[in-house]
Amino acid sequence: MSRVVVVGNGMVGQRFVETLRARDVDGRWQITVLAEENRPAYDRVGLSAFFSGATPEELSLVPEGFYDHEGDVCLKLGAQVTEVDRDRKVVRTVDGEYPYDALVLATGSYSFVPPVPGHDLPGTFVYRTIDDLVALRDYAAGRGVGAVVGGGLLGLEAANALRLLGLQTHIVEFAPRLMPQQLDESGAAMLKVQVEALGLTVHTATKTERLEPGADGAVKSMVFGDGQELGVDLVVFAAGVRPRDELARKAGLTVGERGGIAVDETCRTTDADVYAIGECALMIDRVYGLVQPGYAMAEVVAQQLLDQPATFKGADLSTKLKLLGIDVAVFGDAQGELDVVYADPAYGVYAKLALTDDAQTLLGGILVGDASAYATLRASIGGPIPGKLADFLGSGQVEGTLPGTAQVCSCNAVTKNDVFEAISDGCKDVPGIKACTKAGTTCGSCVPLLKSLLAEAGVQQDKAICEHFAFSRQELFDLIRVRGITTFSQLVAEHGQGRGCDLCKPTVASILASLGNGHVLEGEQATLQDTNDHFLANLQRNGTYSVVPRIPGGEITPDKLIVIGEVARDYGLYTKITGGQRIDLLGARVDQLPAIWRRLVDAGFESGHAYGKALRTVKSCVGTTWCRYGVQDSVGLAIALEERYRGLRAPHKIKCAVSGCARECAEARSKDFGVIATENGWNLFLGGNGGFRPRHADLFATDLDTATLVRYIDRFLMFYIRTADRLQRTAAWLESLDGGLDYLREVIVDDSLGLCADLDAAMDRHVGSYVDEWRATLEDPDKLRRFVSFVNAPDAPDPSIEFVTERGQRVPAQHRQPVVVAGTRLPVREVDP
Ligand SMILES: Cc1cc2nc3c(=O)[nH]c(=O)nc-3n(C[C@H](O)[C@H](O)[C@H](O)COP(=O)(O)OP(=O)(O)OC[C@H]3O[C@@H](n4cnc5c(N)ncnc54)[C@H](O)[C@@H]3O)c2cc1C
Ligand code: SF4
């Protein structure tokens, strides 16, 4: 048996070991992996998930039991290789020597820290390993302001981490725009607008001159090239990486002028028995900072060792990321002879496709704000665009098919043909294709495309909510209810896999809340919520929040009106009467929220849930109370309904209205449920909505007495909550119900499924257990703690939030700033005839 020693157990080192083990069916190689870090390989690409609660174990890339076969493959942790003795063919660690027949260097990179004075002060960090993130998280606790040096991919990821840690966050970038290596001027401008709308401050064209310490010796401020100073509590350097080639240098192997272990296209260094792969390798004049080229190199070396000729064929440098929740994708060569550009500042979308001059071949492109067309477009590089350009640039909704040779997963070099082969071998879903081909297992951006290829191949797909659960929302709801599950971790442990994602976490949070599993910020539930629910307030464009107290039926006493006015005045909030009979108080900083709620709660207000997927308002006209046409008390009923359903969590927001006569002043037919008074009682309408695709509600029942009306609404809401898909409004849900309104009538009125007693009981439980979320938060120091990270400087105005005055009130400053999203000239270049 020959011996291969692998130095480094990072993403690429681990991929190499797995590939060699899978291919080496005759057991020719014994593998020893020497790893400097104290934990086995983990998902560095997904590192930031650590701040959303992922544990190091969950980030691990090493299959369970993988290194348990002492003999043919072994891993030594905490074993830094200090020397390679090429003459004796051994490597040394502090613990001993390891002989090799072949040596694979997979030592990765280190974070580059610009040598500015103060770069090594306490309170400065890099963003590369789990240990870096642990140190950053621990230091950030209780601190207020953080800055990231570097506005590239990594810098934006680090900025998001600071934001999740509750810090006011600044991004300092030397270049004149964000992501200078990937984006053009217009794409970067759009990204900047969106990043700033989240409340982060972006300083482009800004040089960090030095870091200054405070009295405790830790970093206290940053001084920029123009002399300006920014007070900070911590600084993260994310200004690029450098290959770790120190071992190779010491061993006399050739390294590049600007670093990197020189290898040829077979990944051999200048010593034929030593290979270098991944980020430490200088592959024909280029160091790749992405994982896919590293995986390709791992494959090449595994094949070489088994005497199968293989060479590195170049790399696809496309990337798609969700940076701070904003889609950004760059693929192929975004500098074509013909550029097609689409920009929609209202929706924050920018798209550019680069084509050959005959517009027949796609060369590459940039997508900011909406990257839904990314997977299809990337797979189409080098060929014609499979559909109309306008479709790709606008909505991302496309029709058309890709050629079989199109690369579907660039991380793992999987083509459409490979996927179809897997499907014909029996893979019937995305997890199956992942297991067979490895497509979708690294950055995950091709998963939507895998789904559409399954559909194209005629495979009936399940309605799995995401890769972590093989269930639809409705099935998850039933599982949670029937099994009495109360936490996400219990659900994922018993019925799912992995650590969850942006799709399943809020969905499960909403189901748990629908089932009355305690306060939304209780224990683990808190980490599942999206931003609005996280702070029980609506995040607005400049990073401030709006506070919307409940005003059932729109009825409010003068005293309460005065309290709202006083709160708004004292906190300088913009006030607006909304379309749903509420008063919206806009512009509150997150640290001000508890104090604002305190005043409102003391005056008898509670949360209007304008932030949640929950009941919003039951709008009403003035009915018999005032109106000469009114035939029923629409205000009284609206108040009763709103108090009954307040806090009810649902797949989407729920809006309702009650009109006191057929004149319909409350516009009840445009709501999820609408009630219109008749001489004899109430008419009930179901499944309406306003918005982008308005729909009038359908008449469900006529002349109902109040008790029957309320029971029907109870059942309608509970049945909807249990059976609708995530983010499906009642209108779409009703349209998707087999049998439509008649079927719904059978279920709710005739009890055809025998469900009504259960639905009634569920609603009674909800009504009986309602607790105001604001009040409960104020009463619980643990929950309040999430709002205190900003309180350490309660009187200092947040420098990232600027207001201007408009019509006598404060509005976000950037609201007024012009935004260049398509450059100052049309980006069409002339070509030689
Ligand atoms: C936050 C973050 C986000 C990223 N996002 C993306 C992304 O979206 N897409 C993408 O393609 N790439 C991304 N990357 C880059 C990607 O993680 C790297 O390309 C990939 O990890 C490189 O793998 P590697 O094995 O070459 O190096 P690494 O994963 O860095 O592993 C190298 C290992 O070698 C060890 N080592 C070094 N020297 C020695 C020694 N002398 N002895 C023993 N062990 C040693 C190191 O401790 C390390 O564990 C991201 C990186 C980070 C940090
Ligand atoms: S809907 Fe009828 S009762 Fe209500 S305000 Fe209009 S006219 Fe009056």
Side-chain angles (χ1 to χ4, degrees):
M1 222 183 194
S2 305
R3 288 163 303 196
V4 57
V5 170
V6 184
V7 184
N9 188 223
M11 297 188 75
V12 173
Q14 175 64 20
R15 174 58 74 96
F16 165 75
V17 179
E18 284 179 35
T19 310
L20 182 60
R21 275 205 40 138
R23 286 177 172 267
D24 185 13
V25 281
D26 302 328
R28 286 171 56 187
W29 289 93
Q30 183 203 47
I31 310 170
T32 301
V33 186
L34 301 170
E36 175 190 71
E37 291 186 67
N38 281 315
R39 43 175 63 91
Y42 51 85
D43 183 0
R44 213 177 290 284
V45 170
L47 195 62
S48 294
F50 177 78
F51 290 112
S52 319
T55 62
E57 293 69 36
E58 287 168 333
L59 286 172
S60 173
L61 286 179
V62 179
E64 219 177 307
F66 186 83
Y67 285 109
D68 293 349
H69 313 268
E70 225 16 92
D72 58 349
V73 54
C74 92
L75 167 68
K76 306 248 177 248
L77 294 175
Q80 189 192 29
V81 174
T82 49
E83 199 182 335
V84 177
D85 184 339
R86 288 165 48 209
D87 296 333
R88 290 183 49 231
K89 291 179 100 171
V90 293
V91 297
R92 257 176 226 121
T93 68
V94 280
D95 289 336
E97 288 191 345
Y98 296 83
Y100 67 79
D101 298 300
L103 176 65
V104 178
L105 300 173
T107 48
S109 290
Y110 64 91
S111 304
F112 168 66
V113 176
V116 292
H119 65 85
D120 48 1
L121 287 170
T124 57
F125 298 86
V126 294
Y127 200 85
R128 177 83 197 169
T129 65
I130 289 185
D131 288 346
D132 293 335
L133 269 55
V134 171
L136 175 61
R137 181 197 58 193
D138 293 350
Y139 191 87
R143 297 181 200 264
V145 185
V148 176
V149 177
L153 286 171
L154 196 59
L156 290 166
E157 259 201 70
N160 195 34
L162 296 189
R163 180 169 156 260
L164 289 174
L165 289 169
L167 297 153
Q168 287 169 30
T169 304
H170 296 258
I171 300 169
V172 183
E173 168 58 53
F174 181 63
R177 60 178 190 262
L178 291 175
M179 290 179 66
Q181 289 181 25
Q182 289 89 3
L183 295 184
D184 62 359
E185 189 188 336
S186 307
M190 185 68 84
L191 178 62
K192 181 167 181 270
V193 169
Q194 297 221 39
V195 169
E196 288 177 337
L198 290 171
L200 285 81
T201 310
V202 179
H203 311 257
T204 42
T206 303
K207 186 175 172 216
T208 304
E209 197 72 46
R210 63 179 188 278
L211 306 185
E212 296 279 0
D216 60 355
V219 65
K220 196 67 204 146
S221 67
M222 298 174 82
V223 181
F224 298 136
D226 61 3
Q228 297 238 35
E229 205 169 325
L230 172 71
V232 288
D233 294 324
L234 63 87
V235 174
V236 180
F237 287 101
V241 293
R242 298 283 184 270
R244 289 192 61 176
D245 55 16
E246 65 272 13
L247 268 184
R249 267 175 209 274
K250 220 166 118 188
L253 297 169
T254 303
V255 294
E257 249 175 58
R258 289 164 54 205
I261 309 166
V263 293
D264 63 16
E265 56 192 12
T266 66
C267 299
R268 273 203 165 90
T269 65
T270 37
D271 178 334
D273 296 320
V274 182
Y275 299 85
I277 56 177
E279 279 193 5
C280 64
L282 175 70
M283 167 63 71
I284 330 229
D285 293 337
R286 178 158 201 169
V287 173
Y288 292 97
L290 294 171
V291 76
Q292 183 274 337
Y295 282 176
M297 293 180 210
E299 182 80 28
V300 166
V301 176
Q303 292 195 36
Q304 303 275 321
L305 295 188
L306 298 170
D307 301 327
Q308 298 159 1
T311 52
F312 181 78
K313 299 274 186 315
D316 175 2
L317 301 181
S318 305
T319 36
K320 173 177 175 243
L321 298 146
K322 218 175 179 65
L323 294 165
L324 296 141
I326 307 158
D327 272 352
V328 179
V330 185
F331 53 95
D333 178 3
Q335 287 295 312
E337 285 163 344
L338 187 64
D339 292 345
V340 186
V341 176
Y342 171 85
D344 181 344
Y347 282 87
V349 171
Y350 171 78
K352 169 179 155 181
L353 297 186
L355 308 171
T356 48
D357 59 348
D358 58 359
Q360 292 307 303
T361 307
L362 176 67
L363 300 172
I366 294 171
L367 305 169
V368 177
D370 176 1
S372 45
Y374 166 75
T376 313
L377 286 171
R378 195 205 59 219
S380 309
I381 291 173
I385 298 175
K388 278 194 206 154
L389 274 174
D391 295 339
F392 282 101
L393 290 165
S395 66
Q397 302 298 317
V398 287
E399 286 181 10
T401 54
L402 293 170
T405 49
Q407 202 169 77
V408 170
C409 169
S410 65
C411 292
N412 296 283
V414 183
T415 62
K416 176 176 169 181
N417 282 338
D418 298 332
V419 173
F420 270 60
E421 207 176 302
I423 294 172
S424 64
D425 286 349
C427 295
K428 294 283 173 248
D429 52 19
V430 171
I433 295 178
K434 282 181 168 183
C436 261
T437 65
K438 280 198 164 13
T441 54
T442 307
C443 77
S445 64
C446 63
V447 169
L449 187 53
L450 298 183
K451 284 190 183 156
S452 62
L453 291 184
L454 278 161
E456 192 182 320
V459 178
Q460 180 87 31
Q461 288 173 73
D462 61 28
K463 290 188 180 160
I465 194 155
C466 67
E467 62 185 290
H468 303 106
F469 293 100
F471 305 102
S472 65
R473 181 190 176 277
Q474 182 186 341
E475 289 165 336
L476 278 181
F477 191 103
D478 291 340
L479 266 178
I480 292 173
R481 187 170 59 93
V482 173
R483 304 268 158 88
I485 290 170
T486 55
T487 62
F488 181 82
S489 22
Q490 187 189 353
L491 182 70
V492 84
E494 293 175 13
H495 303 286
Q497 57 179 5
R499 55 178 181 267
C501 63
D502 289 351
L503 292 182
C504 61
K505 280 181 169 176
T507 307
V508 172
S510 155
I511 295 173
L512 289 170
S514 309
L515 286 167
N517 273 299
H519 194 282
V520 289
L521 301 184
E522 197 72 58
E524 188 199 270
Q525 277 217 70
T527 57
L528 305 178
Q529 309 297 341
D530 62 21
T531 312
N532 281 353
D533 271 307
H534 209 71
F535 292 112
L536 307 181
N538 255 5
L539 178 64
Q540 301 295 350
R541 58 181 302 146
N542 66 341
T544 59
Y545 288 81
S546 74
V547 176
V548 186
R550 185 175 301 292
I551 306 177
E555 189 180 82
I556 185 163
T557 62
D559 281 347
K560 281 188 162 180
L561 265 179
I562 287 168
V563 172
I564 291 187
E566 285 175 347
V567 168
R569 182 196 59 209
D570 294 353
Y571 288 91
L573 305 176
Y574 172 103
T575 50
K576 173 160 191 334
I577 312 281
T578 72
Q581 293 176 329
R582 295 278 185 267
I583 299 174
D584 204 348
L585 306 172
L586 295 114
R589 295 195 318 262
V590 73
D591 58 288
Q592 295 176 322
L593 291 173
I596 292 173
W597 296 341
R598 167 63 62 208
R599 299 255 307 259
L600 294 170
V601 167
D602 286 349
F605 289 104
E606 55 189 32
S607 165
H609 283 99
Y611 48 86
K613 303 280 178 276
L615 177 96
R616 294 285 166 87
T617 60
V618 183
K619 193 177 171 187
S620 70
C621 67
V622 290
T624 44
T625 318
W626 289 95
C627 180
R628 62 204 161 104
Y629 299 109
V631 291
Q632 303 283 352
D633 177 11
S634 54
V635 182
L637 181 66
I639 293 172
L641 291 176
E642 179 153 347
E643 288 181 345
R644 187 168 181 78
Y645 304 126
R646 63 192 163 175
L648 185 66
R649 299 284 161 155
H652 213 306
K653 62 187 170 193
I654 304 172
K655 295 183 168 186
C656 332
V658 183
S659 281
C661 81
R663 284 183 174 74
E664 246 286 66
C665 293
E667 296 162 335
R669 291 198 61 195
S670 61
K671 307 294 183 197
D672 294 86
F673 69 83
V675 182
I676 301 178
T678 69
E679 295 284 348
N680 305 315
W682 306 100
N683 283 352
L684 174 60
F685 294 81
L686 299 180
N689 66 212
F692 184 63
R693 202 164 66 88
R695 181 184 193 276
H696 256 173
D698 296 322
L699 179 61
F700 180 78
T702 53
D703 294 334
L704 301 171
D705 61 73
T706 306
T708 311
L709 171 87
V710 171
R711 264 308 174 213
Y712 285 176
I713 300 173
D714 286 356
R715 292 171 186 175
F716 161 71
L717 290 176
M718 272 300 161
F719 191 47
Y720 160 66
I721 287 171
R722 289 178 175 204
T723 59
D725 273 347
R726 146 180 191 276
L727 297 184
Q728 192 177 32
R729 284 287 295 268
T730 55
W733 170 75
L734 192 55
E735 281 172 3
S736 72
L737 273 189
D738 250 356
L741 201 69
D742 290 337
Y743 169 70
L744 192 61
R745 218 174 267 119
E746 284 163 24
V747 175
I748 288 176
V749 179
D750 308 333
D751 200 8
S752 60
L753 299 179
L755 272 180
C756 287
D758 186 25
L759 299 176
D760 293 348
M763 186 57 85
D764 290 344
R765 264 197 312 278
H766 164 76
V767 174
S769 63
Y770 170 76
V771 174
D772 172 39
E773 284 165 4
W774 285 355
R775 180 186 288 277
T777 305
L778 291 171
E779 284 167 0
D780 183 341
D782 262 359
K783 295 195 183 79
L784 271 183
R785 210 161 286 144
R786 73 181 50 244
F787 302 91
V788 298
S789 52
F790 294 87
V791 177
N792 63 345
D795 302 324
D798 178 346
S800 71
I801 297 175
E802 290 168 33
F803 294 99
V804 293
T805 301
E806 191 175 279
R807 295 184 294 278
Q809 296 205 73
R810 294 194 324 169
V811 294
Q814 55 264 58
H815 198 57
R816 308 288 301 159
Q817 285 166 4
V819 176
V820 179
V821 289
T824 47
R825 63 189 170 81
L826 274 179
V828 177
R829 283 181 295 284
E830 286 190 6
V831 287
D832 293 334

